[in-house]
Amino acid sequence: MIFIKARAVHAFKISPETNTDKQGEPHQMKPTKTLLSLLVSAALGVGAMGSALAQGQLEKVMKERGLTEKDVLAAAKTYTPTGGRDEYLAFSSGGQSGQVIVYGIPSMRILKYIGVFTPEPWQGYGFDDESKAVLAQGKVRGKDILYGDTHHPAFSETAGEYNGKYLFINDKANPRVAVIDLHDFETKQIVVNPVFKSQHGGAFVTENTEYVITAAQYAGPFENDFVPLEEFNDKYRGGVTYWKFNNETGRIEPENSFTVEAPPYSQDLSDAGKGPSHGWSFTNSFCSERYVGGIERGRPPFEAGCSAKDTDFLHVINWKKAEELFKAGKTKKINGGNVLPMDVAAKEGVLFLIPEVKSPHGVDVSPDGKYMIVSGKLDTHATVYSFDKIQSAIKGGKFEGKDPYGIPIISLKDSIHKQVELGLGPLHTQYDSKECVVYTSLYVDSMVAKWDYCQGKVLDKVSIHYNIGHLVSMEGDSVSPDGKYLVALNKLAIDRFNPVGPLHPQNHQLIDISGEKMELLYDMPLPLGEPHYVVAIKADKLKPAVRYKSGWDSRSDKVSPYKTRAGREKTERSCDAAGNCTTEVWGTVIRSHITPEIIEAQVGDTVKIHLTNLERAEDEVHGFAMYAQNVQLSIEPGKTASTTFVADQEGVFPYYCTEFCSALHLEMQGYLLVQPKGYEAKGASMKEGEAYTKADYDKQVKTNVETQAVIDQVVAYITSHNYQDFPTVVALVEDATDQLGFAKGAKDKSEAAAATEDWQNAMLWANQWWQYQVKAADLGLRAKTFLEQNGAKKVK
Ligand code: RUQ
Ligand code: CUA
């Protein structure tokens, strides 16, 4: 049915001259000269003559590509010229990929996939020892779980504002939460829920990131033992976990975290209170029927039983109170976790229930913390709950009854502010910067509804393609949303892109919400899992590093014990009493060589290789891959990364750098020689492929002298300008100075060899001296170009 509907919408929209507005009425799009000229001159900054020319070209392109004026305007709103930056960065769940996708808004350009629950080779994630340790934190009941079903990312907050420091994301399939540090966009920690067997409603953070909230989804016994389904009502449980976050260390503290036990109602999405509702949190549920399917036992399926009643329950939780009880020792230990029993929660005023319409999904707290908007998938309304009213009912002890577990129920009429009819299948709501204005996704209608929750009236609707789930407005979960753009996260793409087989990419659609009417701007295919939710932050709040402090273990955020300096590289082989031997390498990488270039081990050795990237230059990453050992590291400037494996077979194993880091990148190579046990070199000398003479040496030296002259000119240009005012150039100059230092070292070696008439070594060192010169020259030229393009001033 959804498919047919989607097809119909599409068929209607492809006619080139028609466009559909919210009512589905086509209106003509006639290009007007005025707007076009404006666009052209704004885009190109040209005068009258140039404008006419450019306009002619623009019209030609529009005609050739079948673009309407509306299309061109949309393009101008999203197109980002080369070198341009985005105003917002979006962090999208990567769905089943277990990763996080980072893209810019409004350009919708993908910037990064962050490995979170799944190994990701580009970043060496799950390949170097340091990140393997992070993934190992995510083992569930002793098993490696190397994927995640990621759903909801959330930013850390200070006083309800995104502070740009951390990102959290949950895994639904295996109840886990990961912490990503936005200083380097790396995953630092994974925690496993001790009691849940699945977990959907998270991650949501409290106003000052005191806690990261996650709610269970499918009820299960808290213990890991087998419990028959017949005991569902008594032994299966749901709940909400409050993960204590330490803002200083940037890590979750499981020992200071606790779970509020809840009935087996299939808890769902959640949100944390803000402002007046700070200290409280809200969680939906969708199967308060407690129905257990079982087609093979002749029972009607889950979907029938779980949607039978007209209402489910919104869970209202006083987490401040729960925290007090936890600190007072009122929790019990289950599987090592702290659990506040349901009867205590009910008796002490921690947990309350309020009916909510059929199969609710999203619950979203307003920026001022006074309202919660809940939508029911099987109802056409959104319900606006008033926190004030809920509090009056609680304070006045006004309850309509208790659920079978003794939890007090507040009546719907005592807690609602408004109910508004929006359309079919309302799911999630996002807040605008304009007061009272919100956007709700309509899954079945494939639309976004813009409405006023204070007045309770619909303002606008726009069609999306197709079947929208979540939607995100800029800084929409903070206390001060920015509005501006909305991204629709659609569940189906169907016919929107060139076909690529039965598995389609996802479709994220960018919508301009700055005006009265919503304007659809752009479709972005996302080919990596099904993203559920996205959060978007103002880009200038992020201050990511361009390099690590030297010798840095980025996963534990400490200086690595394996940090190695230039000239201190070494390889050691040692055996214990039982005859187990280890070959351990403390090495470095820098353009364009890996030190060591030869590693000798014996079969059966455990090989440990630690590599430090000595570069300080921005973006000078080196990789390290080795034949047949499943080794692939990403070593960013300053980083120390390690790999450990058992050399269980004799042989020759080439290794090399996997990032094209310089003109001599291909030469950035070496060999691991796994020798037979007890192997001793026969003492034969290496046979060079080439023998060099004095003439070769002299020729090379001549080249070097000429190269130096070029370098001197570049240096003269740079130092005669105010380069100190440009941090980028300062960094390039530092790096070039390093390279010239290395060149000096090689020059000395070459001259020493020449003095003894060892022309072979004299020539090879002279060539190495030139290699360093080339790198210095390359950096110098980049610095010079930068100064020229950025209006540097002559100072002497
Ligand atoms: S989900 S489409 Cu947030 Cu996991 Cu609603
Ligand atoms: Cu380092 Cu290529």
Side-chain angles (χ1 to χ4, degrees):
M1 189 214 90
I2 284 161
F3 182 77
I4 292 167
K5 182 182 164 55
R7 281 280 175 207
V9 171
H10 175 67
F12 189 61
K13 288 206 101 179
I14 49 171
S15 152
E17 318 83 52
T18 49
N19 252 286
T20 332
D21 71 12
K22 63 169 169 116
Q23 272 80 35
E25 293 158 349
H27 55 260
Q28 297 298 316
M29 295 294 303
K30 275 196 237 98
T32 63
K33 275 261 155 48
T34 7
L35 178 55
L36 261 186
S37 335
L38 272 176
L39 262 173
V40 172
S41 36
L44 305 176
V46 285
M49 270 302 290
S51 170
L53 182 68
Q55 182 170 321
Q57 283 175 2
L58 181 60
E59 276 169 355
K60 187 165 166 270
V61 172
M62 287 172 69
K63 204 162 149 241
E64 278 168 7
R65 300 197 65 216
L67 302 175
T68 64
E69 185 178 303
K70 202 175 166 190
D71 295 333
V72 174
L73 186 58
K77 286 183 181 182
T78 62
Y79 175 69
T80 305
T82 178
R85 300 283 177 92
D86 278 297
E87 190 180 355
Y88 292 92
L89 283 198
F91 290 75
S92 173
S93 126
Q96 302 88 331
S97 78
Q99 303 180 359
V100 163
I101 307 161
V102 185
Y103 61 80
I105 293 177
S107 78
M108 306 300 271
R109 295 178 301 183
I110 295 175
L111 301 171
K112 197 168 219 176
Y113 295 130
I114 305 174
V116 184
F117 296 108
T118 310
E120 200 293 306
W122 170 48
Q123 296 155 68
Y125 187 63
F127 292 87
D128 62 56
D129 293 348
E130 292 80 1
S131 61
K132 276 183 185 167
V134 175
L135 279 170
Q137 296 168 7
K139 282 182 190 245
V140 177
R141 295 166 75 167
K143 278 196 188 163
D144 280 326
I145 308 285
L146 296 179
Y147 79 103
D149 182 16
T150 58
H151 277 242
H152 308 105
F155 290 116
S156 54
E157 295 180 7
T158 304
E161 296 286 3
Y162 299 165
N163 61 26
K165 290 188 176 151
Y166 299 97
L167 185 82
F168 309 97
I169 189 157
N170 73 313
D171 171 12
K172 167 170 162 166
N174 300 282
R176 303 181 292 176
V177 179
V179 179
I180 296 157
D181 191 332
L182 296 177
H183 168 259
D184 58 0
F185 287 48
E186 279 199 350
T187 302
K188 306 289 174 167
Q189 185 186 23
I190 297 175
V191 292
V192 182
N193 197 296
V195 292
F196 295 167
K197 305 295 178 268
S198 83
Q199 162 203 270
H200 181 242
F204 298 96
V205 304
T206 57
E207 220 169 57
N208 291 299
T209 326
E210 295 92 340
Y211 290 97
V212 180
I213 303 174
T214 60
Q217 181 129 79
Y218 307 114
F222 275 5
E223 282 83 7
N224 289 343
D225 309 332
F226 166 69
V227 179
L229 278 168
E230 288 73 11
E231 293 174 45
F232 190 86
N233 292 351
D234 296 334
K235 300 266 179 68
Y236 284 54
R237 290 292 174 260
V240 181
T241 299
Y242 298 83
W243 291 103
K244 181 74 198 160
F245 186 66
N246 183 327
N247 284 285
E248 295 299 307
T249 61
R251 298 293 184 271
I252 285 172
E253 297 175 340
E255 66 285 6
N256 295 323
S257 308
F258 59 89
T259 296
V260 175
E261 183 189 28
Y265 291 161
S266 296
Q267 281 74 22
D268 198 31
L269 279 204
S270 308
D271 205 355
K274 322 174 155 80
S277 55
H278 177 60
W280 294 74
S281 71
F282 310 92
T283 297
N284 280 334
S285 60
F286 62 80
C287 193
S288 59
E289 293 87 348
R290 293 181 290 170
Y291 183 74
V292 181
I295 304 172
E296 39 301 287
R297 293 183 184 178
R299 293 173 59 77
F302 275 106
E303 61 175 323
C306 282
S307 58
K309 275 199 328 181
D310 280 341
T311 55
D312 286 293
F313 286 123
L314 174 65
H315 298 47
V316 177
I317 300 179
N318 183 343
W319 62 256
K320 272 258 162 87
K321 182 86 202 174
E323 180 188 53
E324 275 168 35
L325 295 167
F326 163 52
K327 287 184 177 158
K330 295 282 158 54
T331 53
K332 55 179 189 191
K333 283 268 181 213
I334 303 180
N335 290 349
N338 306 303
V339 177
L340 186 69
M342 212 155 52
D343 54 336
V344 182
K347 192 173 106 233
E348 300 283 349
V350 167
L351 177 58
F352 303 91
L353 301 171
I354 310 176
E356 49 186 1
V357 283
K358 233 177 163 66
S359 303
H361 191 44
V363 49
D364 297 282
V365 176
S366 62
D368 62 8
K370 292 182 181 164
Y371 300 98
M372 291 85 68
I373 298 179
V374 172
S375 308
K377 302 191 288 283
L378 298 181
D379 189 86
T380 53
H381 294 86
T383 307
V384 187
Y385 290 84
S386 153
F387 184 70
D388 263 1
K389 288 188 178 173
I390 294 170
Q391 287 305 302
S392 318
I394 292 172
K395 288 201 186 96
K398 199 162 173 242
F399 302 114
E400 65 176 16
K402 286 186 175 172
D403 84 336
Y405 302 92
I407 304 165
I409 302 172
I410 305 167
S411 78
L412 188 58
K413 74 171 186 336
D414 286 339
S415 44
I416 70 168
H417 161 68
K418 283 221 152 38
Q419 255 183 346
V420 185
E421 170 139 20
L422 297 180
L424 297 179
L427 295 183
H428 298 285
T429 296
Q430 283 280 289
Y431 293 82
D432 200 340
S433 54
K434 298 172 203 111
E435 225 178 309
C436 300
V437 175
V438 286
Y439 303 85
T440 297
S441 51
L442 303 175
Y443 175 83
V444 180
D445 270 343
S446 282
M447 285 188 143
V448 173
K450 172 180 180 177
W451 57 289
D452 179 319
Y453 68 93
C454 305
Q455 308 288 325
K457 62 168 194 262
V458 176
L459 305 171
D460 188 23
K461 280 190 184 178
V462 70
S463 290
I464 61 81
H465 316 88
Y466 304 96
N467 301 92
I468 178 172
H470 276 273
L471 68 187
V472 58
S473 64
M474 302 304 99
E475 304 219 334
D477 289 336
S478 74
V479 292
S480 61
D482 288 6
K484 294 191 182 179
Y485 301 102
L486 190 76
V487 180
L489 282 63
N490 307 326
K491 298 300 182 191
L492 301 179
I494 307 181
D495 53 7
R496 305 318 282 184
F497 307 110
N498 295 54
V500 289
L503 182 62
H504 291 48
Q506 302 288 310
N507 186 10
H508 283 198
Q509 288 186 300
L510 180 69
I511 300 168
D512 177 353
I513 54 167
S514 58
E516 292 272 294
K517 297 263 169 213
M518 293 177 276
E519 296 283 350
L520 187 56
L521 299 180
Y522 190 70
D523 283 23
M524 174 179 65
L526 259 194
L528 193 81
E530 182 199 319
H532 290 263
Y533 188 41
V534 170
V535 283
I537 187 169
K538 202 133 178 55
D540 61 16
K541 283 191 180 172
L542 300 170
K543 306 269 181 282
V546 296
R547 67 182 70 77
Y548 289 108
K549 287 182 203 150
S550 124
W552 202 248
D553 171 349
S554 67
R555 300 293 167 176
S556 65
D557 274 327
K558 288 191 188 92
V559 173
S560 168
Y562 308 113
K563 165 179 171 169
T564 305
R565 291 178 207 278
R568 305 278 176 80
E569 299 88 351
K570 60 178 180 182
T571 301
E572 284 176 1
R573 186 165 186 273
S574 61
C575 302
D576 65 13
N580 300 314
C581 302
T582 303
T583 295
E584 190 159 11
V585 176
W586 287 262
T588 60
V589 286
I590 189 163
R591 280 158 290 165
S592 310
H593 49 265
I594 300 166
T595 309
E597 297 193 333
I598 299 165
I599 304 171
E600 292 178 83
Q602 293 191 5
V603 69
D605 283 10
T606 296
V607 176
K608 292 176 183 251
I609 302 171
H610 316 289
L611 294 172
T612 298
N613 183 340
L614 299 175
E615 308 275 359
R616 284 185 293 174
E618 182 164 4
D619 207 12
E620 275 304 337
V621 178
H622 300 287
F624 182 79
M626 185 184 283
Y627 162 66
Q629 304 290 4
N630 200 33
V631 168
Q632 152 54 21
L633 310 179
S634 169
I635 321 165
E636 295 94 67
K639 193 186 238 184
T640 298
S642 304
T643 175
T644 302
F645 56 91
V646 177
D648 55 358
Q649 294 175 31
E650 286 174 20
V652 174
F653 301 83
Y655 53 81
Y656 66 98
C657 167
T658 50
E659 290 270 341
F660 208 109
C661 51
S662 70
L664 289 173
H665 148 79
L666 294 178
E667 289 75 359
M668 204 166 165
Q669 57 168 338
Y671 288 101
L672 166 69
L673 304 172
V674 182
Q675 301 158 344
K677 270 206 193 322
Y679 173 86
E680 280 189 41
K682 300 244 168 55
S685 62
M686 295 277 290
K687 296 229 175 15
E688 309 279 346
E690 288 291 338
Y692 298 106
T693 60
K694 177 167 188 307
D696 295 319
Y697 169 73
D698 290 342
K699 192 171 156 221
Q700 183 65 54
V701 171
K702 186 166 172 276
T703 307
N704 296 7
V705 170
E706 283 162 12
T707 307
Q708 193 57 46
V710 175
I711 294 174
D712 292 344
Q713 278 171 24
V714 174
V715 170
Y717 178 90
I718 295 170
T719 51
S720 66
H721 285 75
N722 60 333
Y723 79 96
Q724 310 266 25
D725 298 340
F726 302 90
T728 309
V729 175
V730 172
L732 287 169
V733 167
E734 264 183 23
D735 195 26
T737 310
D738 281 354
Q739 297 292 334
L740 286 176
F742 301 141
K744 169 85 175 52
K747 180 172 183 265
D748 292 348
K749 284 189 181 143
S750 137
E751 283 167 354
T756 65
E757 299 195 0
D758 172 1
W759 302 118
Q760 187 71 6
N761 279 310
M763 159 61 194
L764 290 169
W765 282 114
N767 187 274
Q768 183 60 39
W769 154 24
W770 186 67
Q771 297 308 336
Y772 288 123
Q773 285 184 312
V774 168
K775 281 158 208 142
D778 173 56
L779 290 157
L781 287 170
R782 256 157 70 193
K784 182 167 175 266
T785 311
F786 188 96
L787 293 175
E788 284 164 355
Q789 288 174 353
N790 289 278
K793 285 193 292 288
K794 214 168 157 68
V795 288
K796 31 177 167 149

